[in-house]
Amino acid sequence: MIFTVAIDGPAAAGKGTISRAVAERFGFAHLDTGILYRAVGRRVLDGDPAELAAATLRHRDIARDDLRTQAVAEAASQVAAMPEVRAALVAFQREFARRDGGAVLDGRDIGTVICPKAEVKIFVTASAEIRARRRYDELVASGQAADFDAVLGEVRARDARDMGRTDAPLKAAEDAVTLDTSALSIEEAVASATTIVEAGIAGR
Ligand code: DC
């Protein structure tokens, strides 16, 4: 069965958690597409030209355990604005989306550019303050020093870059269902997404 669930939205809206839970619930494969841009950003920080890094991305680049830092997120957002980088990553994502057995992809442009014909599209969002609060709490919980206003500033700057770029900007597809997680617990957000996917499967 070919069945694609496209989950887009800004950083820290809950996309990752929702996508993993939906993939597990329905037995679909899951791809966090942000990791591709993070891996390219990491290689750029290590000195490679962005275009070359994207064209020669290897499994070991995306398997690195140091891709979740703020510096890599920032580099990822910068390389993600480069059309050559995005173009080099399209084929892999499209193949993943149409693999047999169902797939969930989360990112910024899955429902708009990578897989406009996805059977289900969900745009997961939350206010910038709530997303910054979640990020701040994660940093504090992992023992890192954090300043809330700085985290909020970073969230806003990344939103502005991801939404403002010319190529594949972050935006909801016209036929996406918007899921605002600002006032929802993780369980409630996952339950809402599951209901949306069930409706999509039933309506095939
Ligand atoms: O979801 P994330 O924080 O891991 O994403 C890192 C950056 O990669 C983000 O700032 C924007 C970019 N990105 C993108 O442009 N398109 C995607 N499909 C996924 C991520």
Side-chain angles (χ1 to χ4, degrees):
M1 178 192 62
I2 308 274
F3 194 92
T4 310
V5 181
I7 302 191
D8 290 303
K15 292 188 306 290
T17 307
I18 291 172
S19 302
R20 280 189 297 278
V22 164
E24 193 174 333
R25 163 77 177 72
F26 295 95
F28 295 167
H30 171 231
L31 178 65
D32 161 15
T33 62
I35 211 75
L36 305 175
Y37 294 91
R38 285 174 182 263
V40 174
R42 176 72 260 173
R43 277 186 54 187
V44 169
L45 291 175
D46 292 341
D48 285 345
E51 207 177 328
L52 174 75
T56 60
L57 206 62
R58 299 149 302 192
H59 183 261
R60 68 170 186 270
D61 294 318
I62 56 178
R64 287 176 66 145
D65 60 6
D66 59 354
L67 301 179
R68 295 272 158 219
T69 66
Q70 190 54 41
V72 172
E74 191 59 28
S77 180
Q78 287 180 20
V79 299
M82 301 168 69
E84 304 78 14
V85 168
R86 305 200 71 84
L89 301 176
V90 165
F92 174 75
Q93 295 176 79
R94 288 199 175 137
E95 272 161 36
F96 192 97
R98 302 318 272 172
R99 66 197 277 151
D100 198 20
V104 180
L105 285 82
D106 73 88
R108 305 290 191 287
D109 63 338
I110 308 305
T112 50
V113 174
I114 299 298
C115 214
K117 295 214 168 86
E119 282 74 11
V120 173
K121 298 181 186 177
I122 307 177
F123 192 78
V124 181
T125 189
S127 73
E129 287 75 14
I130 296 272
R131 290 184 287 120
R133 173 63 56 192
R134 291 175 184 161
R135 216 4 78 87
Y136 174 84
D137 288 346
E138 268 171 26
L139 289 169
V140 171
S142 68
Q144 298 181 59
D147 172 65
F148 178 75
D149 289 336
V151 175
L152 179 59
E154 280 154 12
V155 164
R156 289 203 168 119
R158 202 134 75 90
D159 281 358
R161 193 178 304 114
D162 294 346
M163 290 176 191
R165 67 179 177 232
T166 323
D167 192 18
L170 166 64
K171 65 167 188 236
E174 276 178 16
D175 51 350
V177 179
T178 296
L179 178 56
D180 188 329
T181 65
S182 301
L184 301 183
S185 67
I186 291 173
E187 292 75 21
E188 289 167 333
V190 168
S192 295
T194 302
T195 304
I196 296 166
V197 176
E198 276 167 352
I201 293 173
R204 291 194 84 202

